[in-house]
Amino acid sequence: MTGLREHRGYVRFWIADAVSMVGSSVTGLALQVVAVVTLQASGTEVGILNAARWLPYLLLGLVAGVIVDRYRRQPLLVGADLARAVVLGIIPLAAMLDVLSLPLLVAIVLVFGTLSLAYDAAHQSFPPSLVPAELLTPAYARLEQASAVAQTGGPVFAGALIKLLGAPAAILVDATSYLVSGIVLATVRPRTPEVAEGTDQPRNLRREIREGLSWVYRSSTLGPITLTSHVWFVFQGLLTTVFVLFVLNTLGLSAFWLGVTYAFSGIGAVIGATASGWVGRRLGVGPAIIACRWLSPVAYLTVPLAGDNSVGIVLLCAGQFVLGLSLGIDSPIEMGYRQSITPSGLLGRMNATTRSFNRAAIVIGAPGGGLLADQFGTRTALWIGVGGMVVQAVLLHRSSFRHARLTTKS
């Protein structure tokens, strides 16, 4: 962090991100509890709710990438944060007025997802304006560490908060965090003034979208890692949905214990993000990320073996720890690589294309997981998800991505 501290804009950006991540970890758990416990949603309905969060990425993701490349990213970040604070505030208000229902919750999540789409596309493309190229991987590693710390303490805090106040009221914490984040982001000053590139030139939406798609999918290295990421997210969406149903319904554990398992994912992610730089240098970009992809099926192997006892809780926590470890190592290396080889004028489209189709994959996987759980049971659905994780690891292992190395922008 030593070199990064010299860049005050990045430090403020990091603080804002950390604050919103803490709140998001609360809402991530609270929404699940509202659906399963308060509204008595079925597995399929929980899958639909999870899919609604990411549906805007499928419908509007490519357009968002073009917008981010056309305009300054800081105003988009600030506006999205403030708007998300307002939208989330509707949930506790509706609960207080006794009008909260599953359709209303899905509608709120859809709007929230649309705002998050704009934020995410700008968020991933903003650090290159705050730090020099040689600090990009450490910069993304520190963001991943902040997210991991939030995942560690946030779910446990969320479980206690839900028990004390109820899930709808707990979501107010996240609404407040977005408000604070937006205010802090408004004070960020980039290293060089943000200027939208080529705004005086004629624009063609279809052409710009094609340029982004071509850059991502025709690359000998970006193509394989992006396509296998889509497969990973299909089965991650499936497994995330089924995991909640398995813990709360099949095992009969409380929201607190669900939060504890998520906390172990955060611990693993903290350790992984801290070690990511060393792992990347030691193994190289391609081998490091491929190794992390193999850890995903290993992590979920423990889940269907768990029971409703102390040994079962240990297995759940161990699996989440391994999953968090793999994500903590993978994310900074992958983000640093993507940003290092992508021209500045394509950053928004590259990030939005990758992230949008990844999130769109959840739209397929999440309801699919709910349907499988309802039809065949949660344990069978979990085994299907593990098999899918093995498939994506095999595909990436056999691709040309194993030769990927950090480079400079062209």
Side-chain angles (χ1 to χ4, degrees):
M1 193 74 176
T2 303
L4 295 172
R5 287 197 191 104
E6 298 174 2
H7 302 280
R8 295 184 179 181
Y10 173 81
V11 173
R12 294 188 181 190
F13 176 72
W14 180 86
I15 291 172
D17 191 64
V19 170
S20 67
M21 282 295 102
V22 172
S24 294
S25 65
V26 173
T27 292
L29 179 61
L31 282 175
Q32 306 283 339
V33 176
V34 167
V36 175
V37 179
T38 305
L39 301 177
Q40 298 294 305
S42 67
T44 301
E45 289 170 332
V46 173
I48 291 172
L49 178 65
N50 288 340
R53 167 71 173 82
W54 309 112
L55 183 60
Y57 289 77
L58 173 62
L59 301 178
L60 304 170
L62 298 181
V63 176
V66 173
I67 291 174
V68 166
D69 280 338
R70 285 185 180 184
Y71 302 102
R72 292 177 56 226
R73 287 145 192 169
Q74 187 175 9
L76 291 173
L77 292 169
V78 174
D81 261 350
L82 298 180
R84 287 191 291 182
V86 174
V87 169
L88 283 180
I90 297 174
I91 296 176
L93 178 62
M96 184 178 66
L97 298 175
D98 199 26
V99 296
L100 184 63
S101 64
L102 190 64
L104 176 60
L105 192 62
V106 170
I108 291 171
V109 169
L110 271 171
V111 176
F112 178 82
T114 303
L115 294 168
S116 296
L117 164 62
Y119 180 90
D120 288 345
H123 176 273
Q124 291 187 329
S125 306
F126 196 40
S129 301
L130 303 176
V131 299
E134 63 270 17
L135 288 179
L136 276 177
T137 296
Y140 284 112
R142 297 303 172 263
L143 291 172
E144 185 67 24
Q145 284 176 329
S147 175
V149 170
Q151 291 173 31
T152 303
V156 177
F157 173 62
L161 199 62
I162 290 168
K163 186 175 182 180
L164 180 64
L165 302 177
I171 294 175
L172 270 178
V173 174
D174 195 13
T176 303
S177 74
Y178 284 123
L179 177 62
V180 173
S181 175
I183 293 172
V184 175
L185 282 171
T187 68
V188 171
R189 296 293 177 267
R191 291 173 61 238
T192 55
E194 262 202 303
V195 179
E197 296 187 13
T199 53
D200 58 336
Q201 300 297 320
R203 293 288 193 174
N204 184 295
L205 180 63
R206 290 184 179 180
R207 176 178 56 78
E208 291 176 86
I209 289 176
R210 284 198 302 269
E211 288 173 351
L213 290 170
S214 177
W215 176 260
V216 172
Y217 291 108
R218 291 188 177 180
S219 167
S220 61
T221 53
L222 285 183
I225 191 175
T226 303
L227 289 169
T228 55
S229 290
H230 300 340
V231 178
W232 187 93
F233 273 96
V234 168
F235 290 100
Q236 176 66 6
L238 184 157
L239 288 163
T240 300
T241 298
V242 179
F243 182 80
V244 173
L245 296 168
F246 180 72
V247 173
L248 295 180
N249 291 346
T250 304
L251 299 185
L253 299 177
S254 68
F256 174 78
W257 286 112
L258 178 62
V260 169
T261 64
Y262 285 154
F264 273 84
S265 174
I267 294 171
V270 171
I271 296 172
T274 303
S276 62
W278 180 85
V279 173
R281 291 189 300 271
R282 184 77 174 178
L283 300 181
V285 171
I289 292 177
I290 290 171
C292 291
R293 291 290 189 88
W294 276 109
L295 285 177
S296 295
V298 172
Y300 278 111
L301 272 175
T302 64
V303 179
L305 301 175
D308 58 348
N309 50 35
S310 57
V311 175
I313 293 174
V314 170
L315 286 172
L316 294 173
C317 292
Q320 288 296 299
F321 174 83
V322 174
L323 180 66
L325 181 70
S326 67
L327 294 176
I329 296 172
D330 180 311
S331 184
I333 299 173
E334 183 176 337
M335 284 303 303
Y337 175 73
R338 289 182 183 275
Q339 308 286 2
S340 73
I341 68 169
T342 302
S344 178
L346 282 167
L347 278 175
R349 280 168 284 176
M350 181 275 293
N351 285 318
T353 297
T354 303
R355 197 173 184 89
S356 296
F357 283 110
N358 281 345
R359 298 314 186 255
I362 300 176
V363 176
I364 299 171
L371 285 169
L372 287 171
D374 286 344
Q375 293 297 319
F376 305 108
T378 53
R379 290 187 194 273
T380 300
L382 287 167
W383 284 119
I384 293 172
V386 170
M389 285 295 190
V390 171
V391 170
Q392 62 82 29
V394 170
L395 290 174
L396 186 60
H397 186 87
R398 293 182 175 180
S399 75
S400 58
F401 182 74
R402 63 183 181 275
H403 303 302
R405 296 288 185 272
L406 283 174
T407 184
T408 55
K409 294 182 180 181
S410 56

